Amino acid sequence: MIGRLNHVAIAVPDLEAAAAQYRGALGATVGAPQAEPDHGVTVVFIDLPNTKIELLQPLGEASPILGFLEKNPSGGIHHLCYEVDDILAARDHLRASGARILGNGEPKPGAHGKPVLFLHPKDFNGCLVELEQA
Ligand code: CO
């Protein structure tokens, strides 16, 4: 069911510094910061030949990554995003298999304007999984 790895997301305490490091030290193609108030994050995408890296910085008091950065003050891998062809079919299949969908279970537009859902990390080996309809 899952397809390509769309991106690996890294929560960072300082988005500007992290973007500069990827641009400079790692020589990557780094996009412009993008505020996503619906998700409580500001993101920067880094294009790699085979996937993307999503740098995440908290946006607002209710940001879902504030707790993560409290536990991991220097940052850390936050989630993996897999592509699916049909996000509602994927959600229903996962629910039937016993996996928990975060939030109200309805897809929201993600960073690329495409519908996304998140799956409970406890159901996936401690790894938060994002699904994005490709
Ligand atoms: Co993501």
Side-chain angles (χ1 to χ4, degrees):
M1 181 177 69
I2 59 170
R4 284 163 33 94
L5 174 66
N6 186 277
H7 59 267
V8 175
I10 303 174
V12 301
D14 183 339
L15 191 58
E16 216 173 294
Q21 181 187 48
Y22 269 84
R23 193 182 288 114
L26 292 173
T29 304
V30 176
Q34 197 179 321
E36 286 180 41
D38 282 357
H39 293 276
V41 290
T42 302
V43 306
V44 163
F45 273 99
I46 295 157
D47 275 317
L48 303 181
N50 61 342
T51 189
K52 294 187 276 286
I53 303 296
E54 179 185 55
L55 302 177
L56 299 171
Q57 180 179 261
L59 175 64
E61 300 292 302
S63 172
I65 65 169
L66 279 172
F68 182 91
L69 280 170
E70 256 162 48
K71 280 181 235 150
N72 306 278
S74 52
I77 293 180
H78 184 261
H79 65 264
L80 301 178
C81 178
Y82 301 122
E83 296 180 358
V84 294
D85 290 332
D86 180 336
I87 200 157
L88 293 177
R91 176 196 64 188
D92 294 345
H93 174 78
L94 282 153
R95 265 199 188 135
S97 78
R100 287 166 287 179
I101 316 296
L102 297 188
N104 65 6
E106 292 308 314
K108 282 205 248 183
H112 309 105
K114 295 177 176 171
V116 303
L117 283 173
F118 287 89
L119 309 178
H120 202 298
K122 289 202 171 133
D123 296 336
F124 291 93
N125 314 292
C127 186
L128 178 60
V129 172
E130 177 180 18
L131 298 179
E132 178 176 298
Q133 187 163 287

